[in-house]
Amino acid sequence: MELIQETPDLSAYLAADGVIDHHHPIVRETAERLAKGAVDSYAYAQAAYEFVRDTIPHSYDSGDLRVTWRASDVLEQRTGICYAKAHALAALLRAEDIPTAFCYQKFDEVHGLVAVRFSGAWHRQDPRGNKPGVDAQFSLDGERLAFTPDPEFNELDYPVLYAEPHPVVLSVLKAAPDRPHLWKTLPTAL
């Protein structure tokens, strides 16, 4: 699948805003801590990915009822669904000047991931969190995502790389008072 940048302006994939708040102290502190152990930007990107994947439980898996959507809140509260975890990872990567996009897959609901840009190409990464049957890994040599869409079941990869979280996703997250409500309102398409 050919990934398509929403905008040709690469600086849009480095921007901070109210969701991807990579200037927030908790994002900066986390990024600085992860960067200390990294020899280069590739190692940093993998460390940030593994940090989000492994230390921030997916709220469905952990049973956490809170809904987070702002990157700093995800890092502070240590919980989030796929979209929120993607926001946290994007903030950590953008904090270290690594272009990061938001991308999505369609299953029964829309699933959120990120794509990082290295060596002139985009590489999709899924920080959802592993569990039995899910083994997502950081990879710049072929995708190692949590899920693979099956076209026979009308599942698909959306090819667009968004500079900001999709507005449909963001509005659902912001409107949800808790995860049970969120589960009833998750988008089924973009």
Tab-separated table of all heavy atoms in Angstrom, residues 55-105:
chain	number	residue	atom	x	y	z
A	55	THR	N	4.609	0.407	28.636
A	55	THR	CA	4.419	0.962	29.980
A	55	THR	C	3.105	1.718	30.152
A	55	THR	O	2.778	2.110	31.261
A	55	THR	CB	5.583	1.886	30.397
A	55	THR	OG1	5.535	3.083	29.616
A	55	THR	CG2	6.928	1.196	30.241
A	56	ILE	N	2.391	1.914	29.057
A	56	ILE	CA	1.076	2.557	29.137
A	56	ILE	C	0.052	1.518	28.694
A	56	ILE	O	-0.084	1.245	27.500
A	56	ILE	CB	1.002	3.820	28.248
A	56	ILE	CG1	2.049	4.825	28.713
A	56	ILE	CG2	-0.402	4.416	28.286
A	56	ILE	CD1	2.214	6.015	27.806
A	57	PRO	N	-0.632	0.900	29.651
A	57	PRO	CA	-1.580	-0.152	29.281
A	57	PRO	C	-2.723	0.381	28.415
A	57	PRO	O	-3.200	1.496	28.617
A	57	PRO	CB	-2.127	-0.639	30.623
A	57	PRO	CG	-1.143	-0.174	31.646
A	57	PRO	CD	-0.537	1.080	31.093
A	58	HIS	N	-3.138	-0.441	27.467
A	58	HIS	CA	-4.356	-0.143	26.707
A	58	HIS	C	-5.500	-0.256	27.706
A	58	HIS	O	-5.628	-1.256	28.410
A	58	HIS	CB	-4.513	-1.150	25.569
A	58	HIS	CG	-5.601	-0.812	24.611
A	58	HIS	ND1	-6.932	-0.983	24.924
A	58	HIS	CD2	-5.562	-0.306	23.358
A	58	HIS	CE1	-7.677	-0.605	23.887
A	58	HIS	NE2	-6.860	-0.178	22.927
A	59	SER	N	-6.324	0.775	27.790
A	59	SER	CA	-7.341	0.823	28.845
A	59	SER	C	-8.346	-0.320	28.763
A	59	SER	O	-8.860	-0.756	29.790
A	59	SER	CB	-8.053	2.174	28.846
A	59	SER	OG	-8.662	2.429	27.616
A	60	TYR	N	-8.601	-0.842	27.583
A	60	TYR	CA	-9.514	-1.990	27.486
A	60	TYR	C	-8.868	-3.217	28.121
A	60	TYR	O	-9.512	-3.940	28.890
A	60	TYR	CB	-9.864	-2.276	26.027
A	60	TYR	CG	-10.786	-3.454	25.887
A	60	TYR	CD1	-12.155	-3.319	26.089
A	60	TYR	CD2	-10.290	-4.720	25.573
A	60	TYR	CE1	-13.008	-4.403	25.981
A	60	TYR	CE2	-11.131	-5.806	25.462
A	60	TYR	CZ	-12.487	-5.651	25.666
A	60	TYR	OH	-13.323	-6.732	25.559
A	61	ASP	N	-7.589	-3.449	27.823
A	61	ASP	CA	-6.894	-4.613	28.367
A	61	ASP	C	-6.776	-4.544	29.890
A	61	ASP	O	-6.882	-5.555	30.572
A	61	ASP	CB	-5.492	-4.735	27.764
A	61	ASP	CG	-5.503	-4.989	26.272
A	61	ASP	OD1	-6.571	-5.315	25.710
A	61	ASP	OD2	-4.428	-4.845	25.648
A	62	SER	N	-6.547	-3.347	30.408
A	62	SER	CA	-6.336	-3.192	31.851
A	62	SER	C	-7.633	-2.988	32.626
A	62	SER	O	-7.632	-3.051	33.848
A	62	SER	CB	-5.401	-2.007	32.117
A	62	SER	OG	-6.054	-0.789	31.772
A	63	GLY	N	-8.731	-2.692	31.915
A	63	GLY	CA	-10.003	-2.435	32.593
A	63	GLY	C	-10.141	-1.014	33.103
A	63	GLY	O	-11.090	-0.697	33.822
A	64	ASP	N	-9.206	-0.141	32.728
A	64	ASP	CA	-9.249	1.254	33.181
A	64	ASP	C	-10.402	1.969	32.474
A	64	ASP	O	-10.537	1.897	31.258
A	64	ASP	CB	-7.928	1.938	32.846
A	64	ASP	CG	-7.726	3.239	33.601
A	64	ASP	OD1	-8.693	4.013	33.723
A	64	ASP	OD2	-6.590	3.477	34.060
A	65	LEU	N	-11.231	2.658	33.230
A	65	LEU	CA	-12.410	3.316	32.670
A	65	LEU	C	-12.146	4.743	32.200
A	65	LEU	O	-13.006	5.360	31.579
A	65	LEU	CB	-13.553	3.311	33.694
A	65	LEU	CG	-14.018	1.920	34.139
A	65	LEU	CD1	-15.161	2.039	35.140
A	65	LEU	CD2	-14.418	1.067	32.952
A	66	ARG	N	-10.969	5.274	32.500
A	66	ARG	CA	-10.665	6.654	32.112
A	66	ARG	C	-10.424	6.761	30.613
A	66	ARG	O	-9.922	5.838	29.989
A	66	ARG	CB	-9.437	7.161	32.864
A	66	ARG	CG	-9.654	7.253	34.371
A	66	ARG	CD	-8.364	7.591	35.088
A	66	ARG	NE	-7.417	6.481	34.959
A	66	ARG	CZ	-6.138	6.563	35.285
A	66	ARG	NH1	-5.627	7.706	35.746
A	66	ARG	NH2	-5.349	5.521	35.156
A	67	VAL	N	-10.777	7.921	30.062
A	67	VAL	CA	-10.528	8.212	28.654
A	67	VAL	C	-9.532	9.361	28.585
A	67	VAL	O	-9.783	10.437	29.126
A	67	VAL	CB	-11.833	8.601	27.915
A	67	VAL	CG1	-11.529	9.022	26.481
A	67	VAL	CG2	-12.824	7.449	27.948
A	68	THR	N	-8.417	9.105	27.943
A	68	THR	CA	-7.400	10.143	27.728
A	68	THR	C	-7.314	10.414	26.230
A	68	THR	O	-7.625	9.552	25.414
A	68	THR	CB	-6.024	9.682	28.247
A	68	THR	OG1	-5.701	8.419	27.653
A	68	THR	CG2	-6.030	9.544	29.765
A	69	TRP	N	-6.887	11.607	25.888
A	69	TRP	CA	-6.707	11.938	24.467
A	69	TRP	C	-5.529	12.878	24.244
A	69	TRP	O	-4.917	12.864	23.205
A	69	TRP	CB	-7.984	12.534	23.861
A	69	TRP	CG	-8.583	13.671	24.625
A	69	TRP	CD1	-9.534	13.576	25.607
A	69	TRP	CD2	-8.283	15.059	24.500
A	69	TRP	NE1	-9.836	14.818	26.096
A	69	TRP	CE2	-9.087	15.756	25.424
A	69	TRP	CE3	-7.408	15.792	23.695
A	69	TRP	CZ2	-9.034	17.139	25.568
A	69	TRP	CZ3	-7.365	17.169	23.839
A	69	TRP	CH2	-8.177	17.823	24.767
A	70	ARG	N	-5.194	13.714	25.221
A	70	ARG	CA	-4.039	14.622	25.106
A	70	ARG	C	-2.779	13.828	25.454
A	70	ARG	O	-2.755	13.079	26.435
A	70	ARG	CB	-4.219	15.792	26.067
A	70	ARG	CG	-3.128	16.831	25.981
A	70	ARG	CD	-3.370	17.996	26.944
A	70	ARG	NE	-4.547	18.756	26.556
A	70	ARG	CZ	-5.692	18.793	27.247
A	70	ARG	NH1	-5.814	18.103	28.364
A	70	ARG	NH2	-6.707	19.516	26.820
A	71	ALA	N	-1.731	13.996	24.678
A	71	ALA	CA	-0.503	13.225	24.863
A	71	ALA	C	0.022	13.306	26.299
A	71	ALA	O	0.357	12.277	26.899
A	71	ALA	CB	0.566	13.692	23.885
A	72	SER	N	0.077	14.495	26.861
A	72	SER	CA	0.598	14.638	28.222
A	72	SER	C	-0.272	13.907	29.245
A	72	SER	O	0.250	13.337	30.207
A	72	SER	CB	0.735	16.120	28.597
A	72	SER	OG	-0.518	16.774	28.490
A	73	ASP	N	-1.580	13.884	29.032
A	73	ASP	CA	-2.473	13.162	29.947
A	73	ASP	C	-2.254	11.653	29.847
A	73	ASP	O	-2.306	10.950	30.855
A	73	ASP	CB	-3.936	13.493	29.654
A	73	ASP	CG	-4.294	14.928	29.998
A	73	ASP	OD1	-3.569	15.559	30.800
A	73	ASP	OD2	-5.303	15.424	29.466
A	74	VAL	N	-2.026	11.169	28.642
A	74	VAL	CA	-1.758	9.740	28.457
A	74	VAL	C	-0.490	9.359	29.230
A	74	VAL	O	-0.467	8.356	29.955
A	74	VAL	CB	-1.608	9.390	26.961
A	74	VAL	CG1	-1.210	7.929	26.779
A	74	VAL	CG2	-2.894	9.702	26.210
A	75	LEU	N	0.552	10.172	29.106
A	75	LEU	CA	1.806	9.883	29.805
A	75	LEU	C	1.646	10.009	31.318
A	75	LEU	O	2.192	9.201	32.074
A	75	LEU	CB	2.910	10.818	29.316
A	75	LEU	CG	3.339	10.625	27.865
A	75	LEU	CD1	4.334	11.698	27.449
A	75	LEU	CD2	3.904	9.235	27.637
A	76	GLU	N	0.901	11.001	31.761
A	76	GLU	CA	0.720	11.218	33.197
A	76	GLU	C	-0.179	10.159	33.836
A	76	GLU	O	0.144	9.627	34.903
A	76	GLU	CB	0.133	12.605	33.441
A	76	GLU	CG	-0.020	12.940	34.908
A	76	GLU	CD	-0.544	14.348	35.107
A	76	GLU	OE1	-1.500	14.730	34.390
A	76	GLU	OE2	-0.002	15.032	35.979
A	77	GLN	N	-1.292	9.837	33.189
A	77	GLN	CA	-2.252	8.896	33.768
A	77	GLN	C	-1.949	7.441	33.437
A	77	GLN	O	-2.546	6.531	33.996
A	77	GLN	CB	-3.666	9.254	33.304
A	77	GLN	CG	-4.109	10.613	33.813
A	77	GLN	CD	-5.503	10.969	33.335
A	77	GLN	OE1	-6.380	10.115	33.232
A	77	GLN	NE2	-5.713	12.242	33.032
A	78	ARG	N	-1.034	7.219	32.503
A	78	ARG	CA	-0.601	5.876	32.107
A	78	ARG	C	-1.768	4.990	31.669
A	78	ARG	O	-1.883	3.832	32.067
A	78	ARG	CB	0.163	5.187	33.240
A	78	ARG	CG	1.407	5.869	33.691
A	78	ARG	CD	2.463	5.793	32.626
A	78	ARG	NE	3.665	6.465	33.091
A	78	ARG	CZ	4.868	6.057	32.853
A	78	ARG	NH1	5.073	5.003	32.119
A	78	ARG	NH2	5.892	6.726	33.298
A	79	THR	N	-2.602	5.557	30.786
A	79	THR	CA	-3.700	4.781	30.227
A	79	THR	C	-4.159	5.412	28.922
A	79	THR	O	-3.971	6.614	28.712
A	79	THR	CB	-4.892	4.671	31.205
A	79	THR	OG1	-5.823	3.715	30.692
A	79	THR	CG2	-5.593	5.995	31.438
A	80	GLY	N	-4.747	4.598	28.068
A	80	GLY	CA	-5.310	5.109	26.830
A	80	GLY	C	-5.644	3.979	25.878
A	80	GLY	O	-5.092	2.888	25.980
A	81	ILE	N	-6.569	4.272	24.961
A	81	ILE	CA	-6.833	3.303	23.900
A	81	ILE	C	-5.851	3.581	22.763
A	81	ILE	O	-4.996	4.457	22.877
A	81	ILE	CB	-8.311	3.324	23.449
A	81	ILE	CG1	-8.674	4.629	22.741
A	81	ILE	CG2	-9.244	3.043	24.617
A	81	ILE	CD1	-10.003	4.554	21.991
A	82	CYS	N	-5.998	2.887	21.663
A	82	CYS	CA	-5.027	2.981	20.569
A	82	CYS	C	-4.795	4.415	20.121
A	82	CYS	O	-3.652	4.833	19.909
A	82	CYS	CB	-5.446	2.116	19.396
A	82	CYS	SG	-7.053	2.538	18.667
A	83	TYR	N	-5.863	5.195	19.973
A	83	TYR	CA	-5.712	6.577	19.511
A	83	TYR	C	-4.865	7.386	20.485
A	83	TYR	O	-3.966	8.120	20.083
A	83	TYR	CB	-7.062	7.286	19.370
A	83	TYR	CG	-8.139	6.551	18.643
A	83	TYR	CD1	-9.389	6.371	19.217
A	83	TYR	CD2	-7.931	6.045	17.355
A	83	TYR	CE1	-10.411	5.717	18.543
A	83	TYR	CE2	-8.944	5.385	16.682
A	83	TYR	CZ	-10.180	5.222	17.281
A	83	TYR	OH	-11.183	4.576	16.615
A	84	ALA	N	-5.191	7.276	21.759
A	84	ALA	CA	-4.485	8.053	22.783
A	84	ALA	C	-3.022	7.647	22.862
A	84	ALA	O	-2.133	8.497	22.995
A	84	ALA	CB	-5.176	7.865	24.135
A	85	LYS	N	-2.754	6.361	22.765
A	85	LYS	CA	-1.370	5.895	22.787
A	85	LYS	C	-0.614	6.399	21.559
A	85	LYS	O	0.556	6.747	21.652
A	85	LYS	CB	-1.325	4.376	22.909
A	85	LYS	CG	-1.826	3.900	24.278
A	85	LYS	CD	-1.751	2.404	24.433
A	85	LYS	CE	-0.317	1.979	24.511
A	85	LYS	NZ	-0.091	0.644	25.053
A	86	ALA	N	-1.293	6.473	20.415
A	86	ALA	CA	-0.674	7.033	19.209
A	86	ALA	C	-0.351	8.509	19.421
A	86	ALA	O	0.703	8.987	18.999
A	86	ALA	CB	-1.593	6.846	18.000
A	87	HIS	N	-1.241	9.239	20.107
A	87	HIS	CA	-0.987	10.654	20.392
A	87	HIS	C	0.254	10.803	21.271
A	87	HIS	O	1.086	11.686	21.036
A	87	HIS	CB	-2.189	11.294	21.082
A	87	HIS	CG	-3.446	11.253	20.268
A	87	HIS	ND1	-4.675	11.591	20.802
A	87	HIS	CD2	-3.681	10.925	18.975
A	87	HIS	CE1	-5.602	11.463	19.866
A	87	HIS	NE2	-5.012	11.049	18.750
A	88	ALA	N	0.374	9.958	22.292
A	88	ALA	CA	1.535	10.026	23.189
A	88	ALA	C	2.825	9.706	22.438
A	88	ALA	O	3.833	10.407	22.597
A	88	ALA	CB	1.349	9.069	24.366
A	89	LEU	N	2.790	8.671	21.610
A	89	LEU	CA	3.992	8.321	20.848
A	89	LEU	C	4.368	9.434	19.882
A	89	LEU	O	5.539	9.801	19.769
A	89	LEU	CB	3.796	6.998	20.104
A	89	LEU	CG	4.976	6.541	19.261
A	89	LEU	CD1	6.262	6.427	20.079
A	89	LEU	CD2	4.642	5.211	18.570
A	90	ALA	N	3.389	9.998	19.203
A	90	ALA	CA	3.670	11.092	18.273
A	90	ALA	C	4.313	12.267	18.994
A	90	ALA	O	5.265	12.872	18.488
A	90	ALA	CB	2.392	11.538	17.575
A	91	ALA	N	3.819	12.600	20.175
A	91	ALA	CA	4.395	13.718	20.929
A	91	ALA	C	5.848	13.422	21.305
A	91	ALA	O	6.711	14.304	21.182
A	91	ALA	CB	3.561	14.000	22.177
A	92	LEU	N	6.123	12.210	21.751
A	92	LEU	CA	7.503	11.859	22.116
A	92	LEU	C	8.425	11.899	20.894
A	92	LEU	O	9.563	12.363	20.994
A	92	LEU	CB	7.542	10.474	22.770
A	92	LEU	CG	6.930	10.381	24.159
A	92	LEU	CD1	6.842	8.925	24.620
A	92	LEU	CD2	7.715	11.225	25.165
A	93	LEU	N	7.949	11.431	19.764
A	93	LEU	CA	8.777	11.440	18.558
A	93	LEU	C	8.971	12.858	18.031
A	93	LEU	O	10.096	13.255	17.701
A	93	LEU	CB	8.161	10.538	17.489
A	93	LEU	CG	8.127	9.051	17.846
A	93	LEU	CD1	7.295	8.274	16.838
A	93	LEU	CD2	9.526	8.479	17.946
A	94	ARG	N	7.904	13.627	17.989
A	94	ARG	CA	8.012	15.006	17.508
A	94	ARG	C	8.866	15.854	18.443
A	94	ARG	O	9.533	16.791	18.000
A	94	ARG	CB	6.625	15.621	17.344
A	94	ARG	CG	5.849	15.042	16.172
A	94	ARG	CD	4.483	15.670	16.043
A	94	ARG	NE	3.727	15.113	14.922
A	94	ARG	CZ	2.591	15.612	14.483
A	94	ARG	NH1	2.051	16.683	15.053
A	94	ARG	NH2	1.962	15.046	13.476
A	95	ALA	N	8.869	15.530	19.725
A	95	ALA	CA	9.708	16.259	20.686
A	95	ALA	C	11.185	16.140	20.338
A	95	ALA	O	11.984	17.007	20.680
A	95	ALA	CB	9.462	15.743	22.106
A	96	GLU	N	11.541	15.081	19.639
A	96	GLU	CA	12.927	14.868	19.209
A	96	GLU	C	13.077	15.048	17.699
A	96	GLU	O	13.969	14.465	17.071
A	96	GLU	CB	13.387	13.475	19.641
A	96	GLU	CG	13.525	13.334	21.155
A	96	GLU	CD	14.604	14.231	21.741
A	96	GLU	OE1	15.715	14.290	21.168
A	96	GLU	OE2	14.334	14.868	22.777
A	97	ASP	N	12.184	15.845	17.101
A	97	ASP	CA	12.257	16.206	15.680
A	97	ASP	C	12.175	15.027	14.718
A	97	ASP	O	12.816	15.031	13.664
A	97	ASP	CB	13.509	17.035	15.390
A	97	ASP	CG	13.471	18.375	16.101
A	97	ASP	OD1	12.386	18.979	16.155
A	97	ASP	OD2	14.518	18.808	16.604
A	98	ILE	N	11.369	14.040	15.061
A	98	ILE	CA	11.117	12.918	14.160
A	98	ILE	C	9.720	13.103	13.583
A	98	ILE	O	8.734	13.074	14.322
A	98	ILE	CB	11.228	11.566	14.901
A	98	ILE	CG1	12.652	11.385	15.450
A	98	ILE	CG2	10.837	10.411	13.972
A	98	ILE	CD1	12.831	10.216	16.379
A	99	PRO	N	9.599	13.333	12.269
A	99	PRO	CA	8.279	13.517	11.667
A	99	PRO	C	7.387	12.302	11.941
A	99	PRO	O	7.809	11.154	11.738
A	99	PRO	CB	8.571	13.656	10.173
A	99	PRO	CG	9.995	14.118	10.109
A	99	PRO	CD	10.671	13.453	11.272
A	100	THR	N	6.184	12.582	12.417
A	100	THR	CA	5.257	11.524	12.802
A	100	THR	C	3.859	11.867	12.313
A	100	THR	O	3.380	12.978	12.529
A	100	THR	CB	5.240	11.348	14.339
A	100	THR	OG1	6.581	11.179	14.800
A	100	THR	CG2	4.414	10.142	14.743
A	101	ALA	N	3.223	10.892	11.674
A	101	ALA	CA	1.869	11.059	11.135
A	101	ALA	C	0.908	10.133	11.874
A	101	ALA	O	1.321	9.158	12.503
A	101	ALA	CB	1.861	10.718	9.647
A	102	PHE	N	-0.373	10.435	11.726
A	102	PHE	CA	-1.426	9.580	12.267
A	102	PHE	C	-2.034	8.820	11.103
A	102	PHE	O	-2.289	9.394	10.035
A	102	PHE	CB	-2.492	10.413	12.988
A	102	PHE	CG	-1.898	11.158	14.132
A	102	PHE	CD1	-1.484	12.469	13.967
A	102	PHE	CD2	-1.683	10.538	15.342
A	102	PHE	CE1	-0.881	13.154	15.008
A	102	PHE	CE2	-1.065	11.214	16.387
A	102	PHE	CZ	-0.670	12.523	16.220
A	103	CYS	N	-2.253	7.535	11.297
A	103	CYS	CA	-2.876	6.721	10.264
A	103	CYS	C	-3.829	5.742	10.934
A	103	CYS	O	-3.774	5.541	12.155
A	103	CYS	CB	-1.832	6.020	9.400
A	103	CYS	SG	-0.456	5.286	10.286
A	104	TYR	N	-4.686	5.160	10.114
A	104	TYR	CA	-5.787	4.386	10.676
A	104	TYR	C	-6.057	3.141	9.845
A	104	TYR	O	-5.741	3.075	8.666
A	104	TYR	CB	-7.051	5.259	10.728
A	104	TYR	CG	-6.843	6.504	11.559
A	104	TYR	CD1	-6.412	7.690	10.971
A	104	TYR	CD2	-7.029	6.487	12.940
A	104	TYR	CE1	-6.190	8.833	11.730
A	104	TYR	CE2	-6.804	7.617	13.701
A	104	TYR	CZ	-6.388	8.787	13.100
A	104	TYR	OH	-6.157	9.909	13.858
A	105	GLN	N	-6.657	2.166	10.524
A	105	GLN	CA	-7.146	0.951	9.896
A	105	GLN	C	-8.631	0.825	10.234
A	105	GLN	O	-9.073	1.327	11.270
A	105	GLN	CB	-6.418	-0.278	10.437
A	105	GLN	CG	-4.928	-0.298	10.152
A	105	GLN	CD	-4.252	-1.474	10.830
A	105	GLN	OE1	-4.381	-1.686	12.025
A	105	GLN	NE2	-3.513	-2.257	10.044
